[in-house]
Amino acid sequence: MTADCIFCKIAAGEVGADVLFEDDDILAFRDVRPVAPTHVLVIPRKHITSLAQADPEDQALLGKLLLGVRRVADELGLVEAGYRTIINTGRGAGQTVFHLHVHVMSGRAWTWP
Ligand code: 5GP
Ligand code: ZN
């Protein structure tokens, strides 16, 4: 837990969120400012500032994070329509909350890149 981190506070239950599921390692909750009809964030409970700070010891946790994305997609029925998964790393890439999170977004058209 990092004292001034909003996602640590959500993970600790100190700040409310629309939580879809949680376990000992990860949780999934709806983004407060969705940019798609479905917009969910999957985070580790452990405070990792961004992917740039993930360590080899986080290998299993990072796997759980991606399986958490899969669970979101399965439980919300996103697989057929497809979904976009984004990890912004660093301010230059648009990261605004410095606790690792995976965006899971679906229900609209996307452009690439
Ligand atoms: P980033 O820009 O860091 O990749 O994404 C951060 C995301 O967190 C944004 O989409 C933003 O809307 C979301 N967010 C920021 N603060 C909160 C909050 O307090 N609750 C929830 N549910 N989402 C938040
Ligand atoms: Zn945190």
Side-chain angles (χ1 to χ4, degrees):
M1 171 92 183
T2 296
D4 59 352
C5 172
I6 186 71
F7 286 180
C8 281
K9 288 179 179 166
I10 288 173
E14 292 174 7
V15 167
D18 185 356
V19 176
L20 300 178
F21 61 80
E22 56 188 311
D23 64 21
D24 288 347
D25 298 308
I26 64 167
L27 68 160
F29 54 93
R30 291 189 191 272
D31 196 294
V32 77
R33 286 183 293 275
V35 299
T38 299
H39 188 169
V40 173
L41 303 172
V42 186
I43 71 166
R45 284 190 185 280
K46 176 183 176 184
H47 182 87
I48 299 172
T49 303
S50 81
L51 205 51
Q53 283 79 32
D55 291 323
E57 70 180 29
D58 299 317
Q59 180 172 323
L61 183 57
L62 295 172
K64 286 178 181 174
L65 206 58
L66 287 184
L67 289 173
V69 170
R70 185 199 161 154
R71 182 172 168 188
V72 169
D74 285 345
E75 293 190 0
L76 297 184
L78 309 181
V79 176
E80 192 176 337
Y83 55 95
R84 186 157 286 197
T85 307
I86 290 178
I87 302 174
N88 292 322
T89 303
R91 260 178 237 285
Q95 186 176 4
T96 58
V97 175
F98 292 87
H99 178 130
L100 176 61
H101 52 280
V102 185
H103 295 261
V104 185
M105 299 174 291
S106 187
R108 51 163 276 191
W110 303 98
T111 56
W112 181 261

